[in-house]
Amino acid sequence: MGDQGEIRVRFPPSPTGYLHIGGARTAIYNWLYAQKTGGKLILRIEDTDAERSTQESIQGIVDGLRWLGITWEEGPYFQTAYAEEHREAAQRLLKSGHAYKCFCTQEELEHKREEAKRRKEDFHYDGTCRNLSSEEIAKLEAEGRPYVIRFKVPRGPGGVVFEDAVYGVIEKKYRDLEDFVIVRSNGLPLYILSNAVDDIRDRISHVIRGQDHLANTPKQVLIYEALGERLPQFAHMPLTLDPQKRKISKRAHGEVVAVQYYRQRGFLPWALVNFLVLLGWSTSDNREFFSRSELIDAFSLAGINRANSVFDIRKDDPKFFTDPKALSINAHYIRTMPLEELLPYVEAELKAAGLWDPAFAGDKRPWFASTVDLIRSRYHTTNDFADLGRAYFADDFPIDEKVLVKNILKHESLKDWLPLMAERLQSIGEFTAETVEQSIRGLAEELDIKAGILINGARAAVTGQAAGPGLFDVLAAVGKERVVQRLRAVPELFA
RNA sequence: GGUCCCAUCGUCUAGUGGUCUAGGAUAUCGGCCUCUCACGCCGAAGACACGGGUUCGAGUCCCGUUGGGACUGCCA
């Protein structure tokens, strides 16, 4: 498509807030396509909305992309740097007769719009200024009347036709298109123009973007044609909706749609990418998990779906703070990824929670690794390591009230048995899951009680929780000293 | 309102006229495993929006209806 057949795609966010799920997904598709084809991804910041664009937002978007592992070959470029080029393109369109100056005021247009609405007709600019003579134009300009520049849409039968890689042939009749504004009365070009001009300058070969741009694409096709440029390949991707089928947005949904939120809540970046890519794209073998290279290998525009998909966020669901599938994919990676790769994430979590001991990266490294490995299969986010896993890394951990009652207080004798267990364990030479099990089962037999009572009581006392890995492994992981200490303190729980 | 797009289990999806009494994943429920929870394994329940065509045959093609979405701005 490009002049040299070079594949060039772009991700052009407008920096008016954080990077959200939808934007990230668009970036991912573009990135994958570039990776897949050996092409280049260009990051272009569309900051022409001076009112809303912020430096902070630009940084947030860049950080978000980096965190996700999305790399780009060029940019960030800034749209505002090319304003002159956009104006120049408009002048060319004016000279070539593809555009004209329109002196209608906003008030006049508003009035006509209202009137059309009242008559239940749809309003299209009526072309009042379309055929002004050069004398009339000169006169109005001499009067200092402000004007916008409108694109002169061909009249008569026929229409714009282009082929979208996802949606197929799209046709829009000329009569359904009005002479749209391309330059404001203050001289600033509009998105519809700037965006096309930038894509031309950046030699974009494939425009992969949200389906929300599909309806405006015919206008851009017209601009390309009027400028004498070759069309890029368009590929519109389905939108991501909320459970009420509303387009997700920063304003309406807040943090659950922010990439940053997933980072904070303990998502692995690749798990998020894996989840997001599946929203609107799939392989014919319906695979769910992809390594980076597998994904790049499997990705294709042909696999993009046409129907919008729902991001199943659940407001106020105590069990799932976001789409259950996203969580399950994250959990899958947490329990199956190479342990070495998971460790840095856990380290970051522990540091953030103030639980990190430098020795975990030194002397205690083997212990740290095996402990993480022991508990990871039941965690869904990396936050869980510092939260649910606190008892393994700290001595101050909460004991769940219900668990305390059910597994300890209910059996009054545990007030004596658990300290007794502490003494038995204290005397063990080599403190391993096997020796610990032997000791505890032996104790249960001596006391003539079910081992489960001792086991569940010990788990509650040592971890504060009713659920967890096999107790003997837990005790071995927590270590003799701390286990003995926690078991000895059990009587205090009865106070 | 107009234009465009879309329509398979709750959700993500496979499915390109016959092998679909519709497959997978997730979520839900049950079972196995077991000291608990998770993992894992086994099983259950759960969908082709509706109506017409075309065809020997339709989830798959066509039309309509319904429903949903996007666009429709001197925002991007």
Side-chain angles (χ1 to χ4, degrees), chain A residues 182-475:
Chain A
I182 53 177
V183 178
R184 298 176 177 89
S185 54
N186 65 7
L188 294 177
L190 251 27
Y191 162 81
I192 197 83
L193 205 221
S194 306
N195 182 261
V197 170
D198 288 341
D199 283 344
I200 290 167
R201 183 197 57 255
D202 292 334
R203 299 175 0 257
I204 300 305
S205 63
H206 293 67
V207 172
I208 303 169
R209 64 196 349 177
Q211 192 231 66
D212 48 346
H213 291 278
L214 190 59
N216 277 327
T217 303
K219 295 179 188 169
Q220 293 196 310
V221 168
L222 249 18
I223 291 174
Y224 270 88
E225 287 172 348
L227 253 17
E229 298 289 342
R230 187 126 135 238
L231 289 183
Q233 169 68 255
F234 288 102
H236 287 86
M237 46 196 273
L239 265 21
T240 303
L241 275 21
D242 74 5
Q244 282 73 240
K245 301 282 174 69
R246 307 304 261 176
K247 186 172 143 185
I248 56 167
S249 71
K250 301 164 192 175
R251 240 194 55 173
H253 301 87
E255 62 177 6
V256 274
V257 302
V259 166
Q260 184 60 28
Y261 178 66
Y262 291 83
R263 184 178 187 173
Q264 282 165 197
R265 293 296 299 256
F267 261 72
L268 264 4
W270 185 254
L272 223 212
V273 170
N274 197 146
F275 166 72
L276 254 18
V277 79
L278 256 15
L279 239 38
W281 172 84
S282 62
T283 53
S284 53
D285 59 357
N286 231 334
R287 257 183 299 164
E288 305 261 36
F289 300 105
F290 300 85
S291 67
R292 188 187 169 96
S293 61
E294 284 169 343
L295 221 210
I296 290 168
D297 196 48
F299 190 78
S300 76
L301 298 182
I304 299 178
N305 216 302
R306 277 180 284 276
N308 292 339
S309 55
V310 171
F311 180 31
D312 198 13
I313 42 175
R314 303 165 173 211
K315 269 272 183 242
D316 309 316
D317 187 324
K319 200 167 174 192
F320 305 101
F321 69 83
T322 186
D323 193 313
K325 190 132 191 177
L327 251 2
S328 89
I329 288 176
N330 200 49
H332 172 269
Y333 280 106
I334 285 177
R335 68 174 178 268
T336 62
M337 71 196 287
L339 188 58
E340 290 301 310
E341 289 171 29
L342 176 62
L343 261 21
Y345 291 101
V346 179
E347 177 177 340
E349 292 289 350
L350 296 187
K351 277 178 175 161
L355 302 178
W356 179 250
D357 176 350
F360 293 167
D363 291 357
K364 296 183 180 169
R365 164 102 183 173
W367 172 82
F368 176 59
S370 66
T371 299
V372 167
D373 199 27
L374 175 69
I375 58 184
R376 65 168 164 166
S377 81
R378 65 215 80 215
Y379 291 169
H380 291 176
T381 70
T382 56
N383 283 175
D384 291 340
F385 287 95
D387 191 351
L388 298 174
R390 190 178 177 93
Y392 295 88
F393 307 108
D395 289 317
D396 59 317
F397 56 91
I399 295 186
D400 185 272
E401 193 58 34
K402 276 188 195 147
V403 174
L404 176 63
V405 172
K406 187 180 169 216
N407 291 345
I408 297 184
L409 303 186
K410 202 175 83 185
H411 307 279
E412 257 184 69
S413 306
L414 282 174
K415 188 177 182 179
D416 302 318
W417 293 343
L418 260 13
L420 179 57
M421 183 193 290
E423 299 322 310
R424 295 294 175 90
L425 295 178
Q426 174 69 58
S427 67
I428 289 180
E430 207 190 343
F431 198 79
T432 67
E434 292 71 31
T435 57
V436 164
E437 172 161 18
Q438 215 170 26
S439 171
I440 292 178
R441 292 204 187 277
L443 179 61
E445 225 168 289
E446 268 178 51
L447 297 171
D448 193 27
I449 54 173
K450 284 198 291 189
I453 293 176
L454 250 29
I455 288 170
N456 290 324
R459 177 181 290 107
V462 174
T463 69
Q465 296 161 8
L471 180 77
F472 312 119
D473 290 316
V474 169
L475 298 188

